[in-house]
Amino acid sequence: MTMTREEVRRGLAENRSAPNGTARNAHAEALVGAAEALGDAALFRDALDNLVHAYLWSSESSKMLVPFARLLQEYDKDPGSFAKWDAHSLFWQFKWVATAISDSPEIPLESAWGWVAEMERRYRVAGYSERPVREAEMWLAHCAGDDERADRAHRAWLAADRDSMSDCHACELNSQGSYAALRGDDAQALEHWRPVLDGERTCAEEPHRVLATSLLPLLRLGRLDEARSHHLRGYRMAQGNESLLPSIAKHIEFCALSGNESRGLEILAEHATHLGPLANADDQLAFQGGILVLLRRLQELGHGNSPAAAYEGVPRTVSELYEVMYAGSLAIAHRFDARNGTTRVSDRFLTRIGAQPLVGVLPLGVRSAPLPQTAGAPTTAAVAAVPTAAPAPAAAAAAVTAGAAAVTAGAAFADLVERARQARDQGHPASDGLWAEVAVRMGALPEEDVDPLVAADVADSRALAAARAGAPEAGELLLAVRDRYRYLGQAQRAALAELRLASVAGQDGAEPDRVRELLAAAARAAGALDPDEPLRARRIATAELAAIRIEPHLRARDTGHEHGHAPLHDHDAEHDHGQRELTAFAEAHAQTLPDLAADAEEALGRIALSQGDPQRAAALLASAARHAAEAGRPWQAVDPLVLRAGLLMSLGQPEEAEEAARSAVESALEIVDAETQGTVRLTLADILVGRAEAAAEAAEHALTAAHWFDQAGLSSLNGAQARLLLARAYARDDRFADAAEVLQSALPDLLEHGDLQAVSARQFLGDLLRQLNEPRAAAEQFLLAAEAAKDWNGPQPQADLAHSAADQLSAAQLPEEAIAAYERALELYRANGGAPVAEVRILRSLAWLALRDGAARASVARARFLMDEAVRVLTTASDPGNPPLRAELAQTWHQLAQVLDRQVTTAEQLDEEYGEDARPAEQLDAAELRALRLEEVDLCERAAAVYAELGPEHLDERLQCVQYAAWTEQELGRDEAGAARMSALVDELRVLPQDTAKALLERAEYTLQRLSS
C-alpha cells in the first residue's frame, strides 16, 4: 500500500531514533522506496540520507554506497535544492563512503582509487581542506600494501588544515594512534590516544573504539592495570553495539591473550547472533579474527571438544567453530589480496590469529565461570597466574605445580628428598608440594630401587593430608605410618605419628579416655627418645601442648556439656585452668621453642577474645606473631596477625590494624594455600578502602584476593566479598565503570548471601549506575532492593530505596513510573513517623513532574499545591529552625518561583504565537502576569533572607536568588530596584575573604554590569 507524505515523514522520524541494526535498515530501505514512489524529490533525499546513516551505524555499513551514489546524483542534478546543512552532510558522507570502499573487496582497486580521486576533486571545488582526503588515501594505500604512499599520505594528512569537514578530534586521534600501532610503535599510539582515553576528546563512538584498540598495546608494554581498566570500561560501552563488532572482537582477543579465556567465551556467547556472514566484509574479518584467537587458544588448552556457539543455526564445538570461521575468514582475506595484488591482508590475519598469550593470567576482577578441567590440557598453577601487581609467593610454585621450581632442572632425586625433609621439619608451606613431587618421581622408579624410608615419608605426607581433610581413613593411615617408622628405627617420627593418632581420635569423637590414652602414649614415646635426639625436646613439648589444648574439650565431653551448657562455675574453672597451663607453657618455651610458644599464645588470644577481653587478645596475638617470626616461621604468624588486624579495626585503631595486616601480607609470602592468600589480602583491602587516598592500593589487594579465592574454588563465597570490596575501592577512586562491571559480575553470588547483603549490593549497584548516567538500569536495582527490604522491621530502608528509584525513573523520562515510586516513598516515610527533608524533596519532584506536559493552569495549580505542601511539612516539623530544614525551605520557595516563571513564560509564548486565538483558559491578562512576577520576587527575597541567615556556606544559593529577583524586577520595569539588589550583595561580597567569595563576586559584578547597562 502506498504511503502518504506524512506517513513517510513520520516513519523517518521514528527510524532515526530506532535501535541500530538490520531491522532499522530494512525499514529505512522501505521508506526510500515509498518516498521515491511519491515523486517528492525533497522527501526522497531525506530518505536516502536517513538510509546512509542507518547503514553506517550497523554491520551493513558497506551498503551505504548505493544510496550515497543516488544522493550524489540528486545533488549533481540540482545543487540548489540542497540546503547549506544538507550539502555539508553530503560531503561529510564522502568520508564514510571512502572507508566503505576500502573495506569492500569486491570493488576493484582501480575503482577504489577513482572514488578517492573523485572525493579530492569535489572537496577542492567546494573549498574544503584536503585533510580528510589524505586520510582516506592513507588507509587505502596501507590496506593495498603500498607503505610508501601510505606514509606520504599520512604526513600530508597531518600537515593539512582542519576545517568543518575534518573528523572530530577524537576520531582523528583514534586513526593516528591506530596507524602508529600498526607500524609497531605502541608507545606512540598510546600517546596519540591519551586525550581520548582521559575523556578530553569524545564522540558517539569514542572512547569506545580506542579503549578496545589500546588493550594489546598496553599488554605488550606491561601496563596491566590500565589494560584491565580499559577492558572493563570499554566492553561496557561497546557491549551489544552492532557497529562496534570489531571492538567487541578486540575485547575477546584480549581475554584470550591474558589468560581470561572463560571471560572471552562469555563475551562470544553474548554476541553469537553475529557469527554468520556480515554485509561488511572487513568488519566480518575483524570480528571473526578476534574470535579465532580465542578459539585457537581454547584448543591449545584442551577444550577443542567443548561447546562454543551456534554458527548459522548449527551448534558447534570449539574446534568445529574454529574450522568453519577460519575457512570463511581466510577466504575474505584472500578476496582482499586478490583485489590489492598483495598478501598484506591475509598475512596480517594469520599473524593475528596465531598470537601467543602476552601474560600468564591477568585477573580482571569480574566473575567468570572457570573452564572445565580437561585431560591433557596444559596446567597453569594458581600462583603462576597472579599478575605483576601482586607477585606470587617465592616458594608457592614449587609447592603447587609438579616440577615447577622445587628443584633445579636435572637435580638428583636425593636432593629433592632432602629438600622435602627440611621443609617438613621446618613446617614450611612448601612441604606438601615437595612430597607430592617426591611421590611422582618415586612412582617412576623400579620397586627395588625405592628407599623404604622415603616410601615411609611419602606415606606420612599422605596420612597427614588425610587427617587435615578429616578423611575417615586417616587413623588407619597414621597407624600404618607409625608402625613403618618403628620398623625403620625412626623413633622420633613414630612419636609424632603417635601424637597425630591422638589428634585424629579427638576429631573423630573417640571416647575421652581413649584420646587421653593416645595422648599419654605419645608423651611416653617422646620421653623415651634418645637424650641425644635433636628433636626430643620438641616432641615432648608438642605432646604437652596438644594435651593442654585438647583436655578442656575432653572434660566438657566427660560432663556431657561439650557445647557450652556446663554450669557457669565449672566452665570458668576449666577455662582458668586451661589458660594457666597455656600461659605457663608459653613462658617456659618462649626462648627454646618460640614457634610452639606462639601456638599457645594464639590459643590464649582466641580465648581472651571469646571472653570479651579484646585488649588482652590483641596483645597475645601480637606476641604470637612475634614469636613465630623469631622462630624463622613467618607463615605461622599469618593467622594471629589477620585476627589481630580485624580486632584492632573493631576497636577503632585503624593505623595499628593496617600495620598488622601489612605484616600478615609480608608473612604470607611463602604460603601456598590459595584461601589463606585471599584472606590475608582481603583483610588489608578492607582496612585500606576506608581511606580515600588508599583506594587504588585497596583495589589492588581486593583484586588479588578475588583471584586467589577463585583458585581455591570459593568464587561464590569469599570471592564475591572480595569483588564487592573491589567495586567499593574502584568507586572510591572514581572508577565507576570498573566498579559496576565487577559488582554486576558478583551480584548473582551476593544475592545468595542473605537479604541484607542483597539489598546492600543492589543499592550500591544502583548508585554506580546513577554515576554512569544509566538511570533506567539504576532504577531497576533500587526497586529490586526495595522489594527485598519490604519485610524488614520499619519502612525507612524501603522508603529510601523507593525514593532513589523514583529519582532515576524521572531521569529516565518515565514520569508515570516515577510518580508512582515517589508517592510510595512518601507513604513509607510518613508511615515511619516522617522524614521532613526526604518528604519535601519528593513533593518538589512531584511538583515538577506535574509540569511535564506544559505549564497549563491546572498543571501549575497542582505544582503549586505540592510546593505549598512541602512548605507546610517544613514549618510544622518538630524542629523547624534546624539549619538543614531552613535550607530546604529556602530551596522550596526558590523552586516555586521557578514554577511560576514557567507559567508566565508559557503564557507569553502563547500570546506571541496565537494572539487572541490562544485558549482562554491558558491566557493571562497583564494584571495576572504582573502579580505572578511580583510573587516570584517575593519568593526569591524570602529564600535569599533564609540563606543569608544560614551563613557563608549558602552564598552560592543566595546569589542565585538575588540574581533571579533582580532580573524579574527588570522585567517588571523596575530596573533600579533590581540593580540595587545586586549592588547591595556585591558590596557585601567585597568585604568577605577572597578565598570564600572571589568566584561569586565575579558573577555578581557581571550581573550588576548587565543590569546597569
Side-chain angles (χ1 to χ4, degrees):
M1 184 176 69
T2 303
M3 297 175 69
T4 65
R5 286 178 174 80
E6 184 57 33
E7 288 172 335
V8 173
R9 292 197 182 282
R10 190 162 56 247
L12 288 172
E14 294 171 355
N15 190 259
R16 290 187 182 102
S17 60
N20 299 323
T22 54
R24 178 191 178 192
N25 295 350
H27 186 209
E29 291 164 357
L31 291 171
V32 169
E36 186 173 22
L38 288 170
D40 186 327
L43 189 60
F44 180 53
R45 291 194 298 271
D46 285 347
L48 286 171
D49 180 77
N50 176 69
L51 181 56
V52 170
H53 281 81
Y55 283 146
L56 173 70
W57 302 107
S58 74
S59 60
E60 299 181 316
S61 55
S62 59
K63 288 186 176 182
M64 74 173 70
L65 296 174
V66 173
F68 174 78
R70 298 183 71 183
L71 196 57
L72 196 60
Q73 289 174 356
E74 292 294 310
Y75 179 81
D76 288 340
K77 283 192 298 185
D78 185 10
S81 64
F82 280 67
K84 181 179 180 180
W85 172 248
D86 293 334
H88 184 277
S89 177
L90 177 68
F91 278 85
W92 187 273
Q93 291 171 12
F94 241 118
K95 299 184 295 180
W96 301 343
V97 169
T99 299
I101 289 168
S102 177
D103 293 348
S104 303
E106 63 273 9
I107 297 179
L109 190 60
E110 184 178 350
S111 297
W113 283 121
W115 271 97
V116 173
E118 179 67 7
M119 178 183 177
E120 181 177 15
R121 182 185 70 80
R122 287 182 179 267
Y123 271 41
R124 184 171 60 253
V125 170
Y128 292 122
S129 168
E130 68 169 349
R131 191 177 180 92
V133 179
R134 299 285 77 85
E135 183 182 4
E137 178 187 6
M138 177 190 75
W139 287 121
L140 181 57
H142 179 77
C143 178
D146 190 344
D147 291 337
E148 183 179 345
R149 182 170 184 176
D151 286 343
R152 187 167 61 249
H154 177 256
R155 292 191 295 272
W157 167 41
L158 298 182
D161 292 334
R162 285 183 54 84
D163 64 3
S164 63
M165 201 52 61
S166 299
D167 280 343
C168 75
H169 284 284
C171 288
E172 282 207 342
L173 290 169
N174 178 355
S175 291
Q176 291 171 28
S178 296
Y179 190 74
L182 286 170
R183 303 308 293 256
D185 194 340
D186 290 333
Q188 183 61 54
L190 288 163
E191 183 58 30
H192 282 307
W193 291 327
R194 184 190 54 75
V196 181
L197 297 171
D198 290 349
E200 298 172 18
R201 301 290 185 180
T202 61
C203 69
E205 289 194 333
E206 298 299 353
H208 316 45
R209 295 182 301 170
V210 167
L211 284 165
T213 309
S214 68
L215 293 172
L216 296 191
L218 286 168
L219 284 184
R220 286 192 289 263
L221 292 173
R223 293 161 61 174
L224 303 184
D225 190 57
E226 291 174 81
R228 177 190 300 112
S229 180
H230 288 193
H231 168 66
L232 296 177
R233 185 160 59 107
Y235 180 64
R236 185 177 187 84
M237 301 176 87
Q239 185 177 14
N241 193 327
E242 189 176 282
S243 69
L244 292 176
L245 289 177
S247 295
I248 297 295
K250 291 173 182 176
H251 285 281
I252 293 174
E253 181 179 14
F254 163 79
C255 291
L257 300 181
S258 63
N260 291 285
E261 295 83 6
S262 60
R263 166 79 166 171
L265 267 179
E266 291 170 1
I267 297 174
L268 171 59
E270 291 173 3
H271 297 84
T273 55
H274 299 292
L275 285 182
L278 302 177
N280 186 314
D282 189 67
D283 278 1
Q284 181 177 343
L285 187 62
F287 181 52
Q288 295 190 352
I291 295 170
L292 284 166
V293 177
L294 172 66
L295 296 175
R296 192 214 78 245
R297 180 66 184 146
L298 288 169
Q299 286 181 310
E300 292 175 352
L301 293 173
H303 297 283
N305 293 324
S306 299
Y311 186 88
E312 297 184 327
V314 180
R316 314 275 182 162
T317 65
V318 167
S319 294
E320 290 169 346
L321 186 58
Y322 180 86
E323 292 301 325
V324 68
M325 289 181 62
Y326 176 82
S329 297
L330 190 58
I332 293 173
H334 286 156
R335 284 163 55 196
F336 275 106
D337 289 347
R339 182 194 74 172
N340 298 334
T342 74
T343 60
R344 164 64 59 84
V345 175
S346 60
D347 289 346
R348 177 163 292 149
F349 166 74
L350 293 172
T351 299
R352 179 186 189 187
I353 66 170
Q356 293 301 307
L358 295 168
V359 295
V361 175
L362 175 64
L364 300 177
V366 290
R367 169 87 144 91
S368 291
L371 295 173
Q373 293 295 318
T374 58
T379 58
T380 303
V383 285
V386 179
T388 302
V400 179
T401 306
V407 292
T408 57
F413 182 56
D415 254 359
L416 175 61
V417 172
E418 182 59 29
R419 288 171 180 267
R421 285 173 175 160
Q422 288 176 358
R424 179 191 64 192
D425 293 343
Q426 193 184 8
H428 197 287
S431 174
D432 289 345
L434 289 166
W435 282 117
E437 174 67 6
V438 170
V440 170
R441 297 200 182 188
M442 187 183 73
L445 295 174
E447 187 173 351
E448 61 272 14
D449 292 344
V450 175
D451 183 335
L453 182 56
V454 173
D457 288 339
V458 169
D460 182 40
S461 174
R462 289 171 175 165
L464 180 58
R468 288 172 181 162
E473 69 274 15
E476 293 182 8
L477 293 173
L478 284 167
L479 191 61
V481 165
R482 182 201 66 181
D483 293 343
R484 186 179 293 193
Y485 275 136
R486 283 179 175 176
Y487 175 76
L488 294 171
Q490 294 293 312
Q492 62 90 7
R493 296 301 306 167
L496 186 57
E498 292 267 22
L499 182 58
R500 288 173 179 166
L501 277 168
S503 297
V504 167
Q507 292 170 5
D508 290 345
E511 288 299 319
D513 286 345
R514 174 57 181 161
V515 177
R516 291 188 181 101
E517 288 176 10
L518 292 170
L519 286 168
R524 287 195 301 273
L529 291 174
D530 190 308
D532 293 331
E533 167 59 52
L535 292 174
R536 181 175 183 274
R538 173 174 290 279
R539 293 288 179 262
I540 293 172
T542 303
E544 180 186 353
L545 179 59
I548 293 172
R549 298 183 67 171
I550 294 175
E551 184 58 31
H553 302 286
L554 299 179
R555 288 179 183 171
R557 292 184 58 206
D558 282 334
T559 57
H561 301 117
E562 184 177 4
H563 300 292
H565 302 297
L568 187 60
H569 63 276
D570 292 344
H571 186 274
D572 291 344
E574 288 174 11
H575 266 296
D576 289 345
H577 179 73
Q579 289 182 75
R580 285 195 298 272
E581 288 192 314
L582 284 170
T583 302
F585 180 92
E587 292 173 352
H589 296 91
Q591 301 300 319
T592 56
L593 295 169
D595 57 308
L596 295 182
D599 279 344
E601 288 173 322
E602 182 181 348
L604 283 166
R606 291 179 184 276
I607 293 172
L609 191 57
S610 69
Q611 293 177 332
D613 190 349
Q615 295 294 350
R616 181 167 178 266
L620 285 164
L621 292 169
S623 183
R626 184 174 65 255
H627 280 128
E630 289 172 0
R633 299 186 177 198
W635 53 86
Q636 189 180 331
V638 170
D639 284 349
L641 284 169
V642 167
L643 185 58
R644 185 170 189 269
L647 177 58
L648 290 170
M649 280 298 289
S650 70
L651 294 172
Q653 298 174 249
E655 292 181 2
E656 293 89 340
E658 180 181 335
E659 181 182 356
R662 289 193 183 281
S663 295
V665 170
E666 294 173 5
S667 300
L669 289 177
E670 294 182 273
I671 287 181
V672 301
D673 178 66
E675 182 178 359
T676 301
Q677 289 285 354
T679 300
V680 170
R681 284 162 176 78
L682 185 60
T683 300
L684 179 55
D686 195 25
I687 294 168
L688 293 175
V689 78
R691 300 199 339 251
E693 72 276 9
E697 187 184 357
E700 177 186 326
H701 290 294
L703 175 73
T704 308
H707 171 75
W708 281 110
F709 287 134
D710 288 347
Q711 296 298 326
L714 297 170
S715 296
S716 63
L717 299 171
N718 309 53
Q721 294 302 317
R723 288 184 171 86
L724 177 60
L725 191 61
L726 175 59
R728 294 197 184 283
Y730 280 153
R732 290 295 299 270
D733 208 23
D734 294 337
R735 294 169 60 175
F736 301 115
D738 296 22
E741 278 295 299
V742 169
L743 183 55
Q744 282 180 314
S745 77
L747 188 60
D749 294 326
L750 293 170
L751 295 180
E752 300 298 319
H753 293 191
D755 284 346
L756 183 62
Q757 183 83 91
V759 169
S760 175
R762 287 199 185 279
Q763 183 176 17
F764 180 26
L765 180 55
D767 289 334
L768 292 173
L769 294 169
R770 173 166 46 194
Q771 291 283 353
L772 295 170
N773 195 28
E774 298 179 28
R776 187 186 292 259
E780 179 184 5
Q781 293 302 322
F782 288 132
L783 289 171
L784 288 169
E787 178 66 20
K790 69 179 182 181
D791 295 326
W792 290 7
N793 292 331
Q796 180 77 34
Q798 190 182 6
D800 290 339
L801 291 163
H803 190 176
S804 296
D807 286 341
Q808 292 308 293
L809 289 166
S810 180
Q813 299 184 12
L814 297 169
E816 300 304 326
E817 294 87 343
I819 289 171
Y822 277 130
E823 290 177 344
R824 176 59 176 156
L826 192 61
E827 176 187 351
L828 289 166
Y829 280 128
R830 288 174 173 172
N832 196 48
V837 171
E839 290 180 50
V840 164
R841 291 178 179 177
I842 288 173
L843 290 166
R844 291 200 303 250
S845 297
L846 287 169
W848 286 109
L849 284 169
L851 303 179
R852 63 190 181 279
D853 294 324
R857 281 183 184 269
S859 300
V860 172
R862 173 65 177 163
R864 182 191 282 268
F865 170 81
L866 291 163
M867 289 289 188
D868 289 343
E869 175 68 8
V871 172
R872 185 196 65 77
V873 169
L874 290 166
T875 55
T876 59
S878 59
D879 184 13
N882 181 280
L885 296 187
R886 295 288 289 165
E888 293 296 331
L889 179 62
Q891 182 63 230
T892 303
W893 281 333
H894 188 190
Q895 289 196 28
L896 178 55
Q898 293 170 314
V899 168
L900 301 181
D901 180 69
R902 178 82 66 87
Q903 184 181 19
V904 170
T905 302
T906 299
E908 290 174 345
Q909 290 172 345
L910 285 171
D911 285 346
E912 290 178 8
E913 188 170 354
Y914 298 105
E916 295 181 0
D917 295 331
R919 285 181 294 150
E922 305 308 331
Q923 284 182 326
L924 297 175
D925 59 30
E928 288 176 305
L929 290 171
R930 183 173 181 80
L932 287 171
R933 288 299 191 198
L934 287 170
E935 186 176 1
E936 289 178 54
V937 172
D938 177 63
L939 287 165
C940 288
E941 277 184 334
R942 282 191 271 167
V946 171
Y947 284 135
E949 162 200 322
L950 292 173
E953 61 270 23
H954 290 280
L955 273 173
D956 195 346
E957 295 96 328
R958 183 182 171 199
L959 172 59
Q960 292 178 42
C961 292
V962 173
Q963 286 174 315
Y964 192 130
W967 286 116
T968 307
E969 294 267 29
Q970 188 181 67
E971 290 174 356
L972 287 166
R974 295 162 26 175
D975 295 11
E976 291 183 4
R981 289 178 185 278
M982 285 306 306
S983 181
L985 184 57
V986 166
D987 291 342
E988 188 176 336
L989 290 172
R990 282 173 176 163
V991 301
L992 292 175
Q994 285 301 292
D995 59 345
T996 303
K998 181 178 180 182
L1000 298 177
L1001 178 60
E1002 291 175 356
R1003 283 164 51 193
E1005 287 177 334
Y1006 177 73
T1007 301
L1008 179 60
Q1009 182 183 7
R1010 291 186 59 198
L1011 285 166
S1012 304
S1013 60

